[in-house]
Amino acid sequence: MSEKEDLAKQKAEAAAKAKAVALARKQAKAEAAEKPEGEMDIAKQKAAAAAKAKAAALAKKQAKEEAADRPESEMDIAKQKAAAAAKAKAAALAKKQAKAETAEKPEGEMDIAKQKAAAAAKAKAAALAQKKAKAEAAEKPEGEMDIAKQKVAAAAKAKAAALARKQAKAETAEKPEGEMEIAKQKAAAAAKAKAAAAAKAKAAAAAKNRTPVQESEEADTPRKISPNQSKLDQIVSAIESHVGQGALLENYINRLSKDVPTLVANPDTYFSIAKYLRYDEQLDFSYLSELHGTDFESHMEIYVHLHSFKMNQSVALKVKLDRDTPVIPSLVPLWSGANWPECEAYDLLGINFYEHPDLKRILLGEDWKGYPLRKDYEPYDVEV
């Protein structure tokens, strides 16, 4: 058959189809004019459905004919296009149907539907992220995988903490003021308990890490003898020989103060010991560098720091006094440098140094009430 005959045949078929469609429309209009309104709607729907079915059948027939004339490669492309068009059409119909259903749903159901859709989307995104992370992890070496795991864990922790804070804020906003304060107190207590537990765990870990060798060395190694111990023994022996065996209540090396030899005198022998330290030719503690008083609540204490240039050695002399009636001899007759320090101790602590040449208040006025360095001091005038 020639090309002209094929074209004539196709034109004839198209004309016949157009004529059939026109007759069908005319007939449908005539029938619709005779029917009532309700039946007309049904008839229109049926006619539309029949027309769609007929058009689809004609399209399928035409597609088959065209496919029979096409080579294999063109047929594959045509199939792919048809499949893509079908998917797009199905997606569009699904969206349209979803919109229609949403429009018909009440507000509460719509919110639930939105939440479900959002949850599904999140789950899908999480699944994709996990899949992607697994794929990336499979390609990474071991060291990078560990770092990636740590980052993911840290991100998850941060996200969980943020969600917990958000939830706590939401709950706090709904609670009344009284419950909010209780909740804050509970949260503070929980935080303190957590911090204490962490501190205990840290201390336990540190103790565990200490080697038993170090502990045994600390336990077995005796403390080194102070280089000033021989000087202390010499001074104590000289005092007991010249002043008396009960002159000193105690003596020791003060390791917290440069290993200074320290003498604790009996209040009755305090002045005698000081005098011996000052004038003994072998000892010769001619320089008083410090004198101060301290309130220990249970008692008062005088601390005197002396130095011997001959021995190139310092010594500390202490004496404990009754807190209610702190009275002790003055050292001004032995060291003139004790004058102002004793006045200061009298002024601020109320310690009385008898035989002092001019004991007076040097910082506060004579009419001042009380002694400011005492632990139980209360101002006489509260406003001052």
Side-chain angles (χ1 to χ4, degrees):
M1 189 179 287
S2 63
E3 291 182 2
K4 289 182 179 180
E5 288 177 351
D6 288 338
L7 288 170
K9 190 177 180 181
Q10 288 174 7
K11 285 180 181 180
E13 286 177 359
K17 285 178 184 177
K19 193 173 181 180
V21 171
L23 286 170
R25 286 179 184 169
K26 191 175 180 182
Q27 188 176 358
K29 284 181 181 179
E31 289 175 357
E34 295 173 2
K35 289 179 182 178
E37 189 176 352
E39 292 181 6
M40 279 176 71
D41 291 337
I42 295 165
K44 280 181 183 178
Q45 292 174 4
K46 286 181 179 179
K52 284 182 182 177
K54 194 172 182 180
L58 287 169
K60 283 181 183 177
K61 189 177 179 182
Q62 190 175 359
K64 282 181 182 178
E65 289 174 357
E66 290 175 357
D69 295 336
R70 288 178 184 171
E72 188 175 353
S73 59
E74 289 184 10
M75 283 177 69
D76 290 338
I77 294 165
K79 282 181 182 178
Q80 290 173 5
K81 287 182 178 178
K87 283 182 181 177
K89 193 173 182 180
L93 286 169
K95 286 180 182 178
K96 190 175 180 182
Q97 188 176 358
K99 284 182 181 178
E101 289 175 357
T102 304
E104 292 173 3
K105 286 180 181 177
E107 190 176 353
E109 291 183 10
M110 281 176 70
D111 291 338
I112 294 165
K114 282 181 182 177
Q115 291 172 3
K116 286 182 179 177
K122 283 182 182 177
K124 193 173 181 181
L128 287 169
Q130 286 179 357
K131 191 174 179 182
K132 188 176 178 183
K134 283 182 182 177
E136 290 176 357
E139 295 172 1
K140 288 180 181 177
E142 189 175 352
E144 291 184 9
M145 281 176 70
D146 291 337
I147 294 166
K149 282 180 182 178
Q150 290 173 5
K151 287 182 179 179
V152 170
K157 284 182 181 177
K159 193 173 182 182
L163 287 171
R165 286 176 190 166
K166 190 175 180 182
Q167 188 176 0
K169 284 182 181 178
E171 290 176 356
T172 303
E174 294 173 1
K175 288 178 180 177
E177 189 176 352
E179 291 184 9
M180 281 175 69
E181 289 179 1
I182 294 166
K184 283 180 182 177
Q185 291 173 2
K186 286 182 179 178
K192 284 183 182 177
K194 193 173 181 181
K200 284 182 182 177
K202 191 174 180 181
K208 191 176 180 181
N209 291 334
R210 289 185 66 191
T211 59
V213 176
Q214 290 175 339
E215 291 179 0
S216 63
E217 285 178 359
E218 289 176 5
D220 297 339
T221 305
R223 295 187 72 178
K224 290 182 180 180
I225 298 173
S226 171
N228 292 331
Q229 184 64 48
S230 59
K231 299 283 182 70
L232 175 62
D233 293 341
Q234 178 187 349
I235 294 167
V236 169
S237 176
I239 290 171
E240 288 179 345
S241 298
H242 292 83
V243 181
Q245 289 291 328
L248 291 174
L249 298 177
E250 189 181 359
N251 65 86
Y252 56 91
I253 296 292
N254 189 346
R255 294 185 181 272
L256 299 176
S257 182
K258 299 180 181 180
D259 280 16
V260 62
T262 303
L263 309 170
V264 182
N266 190 315
D268 296 334
T269 57
Y270 166 71
F271 186 81
S272 300
I273 293 171
K275 186 176 181 180
Y276 180 75
L277 293 171
R278 172 68 180 86
Y279 293 114
D280 181 74
E281 292 182 358
Q282 298 297 322
L283 302 179
D284 192 24
F285 285 93
S286 59
Y287 177 61
L288 184 147
S289 61
E290 183 182 355
L291 186 152
H292 67 261
T294 307
D295 180 11
F296 286 94
E297 294 187 287
S298 60
H299 64 278
M300 293 286 185
E301 184 176 277
I302 296 294
Y303 177 94
V304 183
H305 194 274
L306 305 171
H307 186 77
S308 170
F309 294 100
K310 181 179 283 188
M311 295 178 66
N312 192 23
Q313 180 64 46
S314 295
V315 70
L317 177 63
K318 291 184 178 183
V319 61
K320 296 178 181 180
L321 308 175
D322 180 56
R323 192 172 184 275
D324 295 330
T325 55
V327 180
I328 199 73
S330 172
L331 297 183
V332 175
L334 304 177
W335 294 279
S336 59
N339 190 338
W340 284 89
E342 287 183 351
C343 286
E344 184 181 28
Y346 166 73
D347 192 5
L348 301 177
L349 288 164
I351 299 173
N352 189 6
F353 296 89
Y354 63 85
E355 296 185 5
H356 188 283
D358 186 20
L359 191 64
K360 61 183 178 181
R361 300 194 102 147
I362 58 173
L363 299 174
L364 305 174
E366 289 295 335
D367 58 345
W368 189 274
K369 305 293 182 182
Y371 305 99
L373 287 188
R374 287 201 174 205
K375 299 293 177 67
D376 57 355
Y377 172 72
E378 292 182 6
Y380 178 74
D381 188 350
V382 181
E383 295 180 0
V384 175

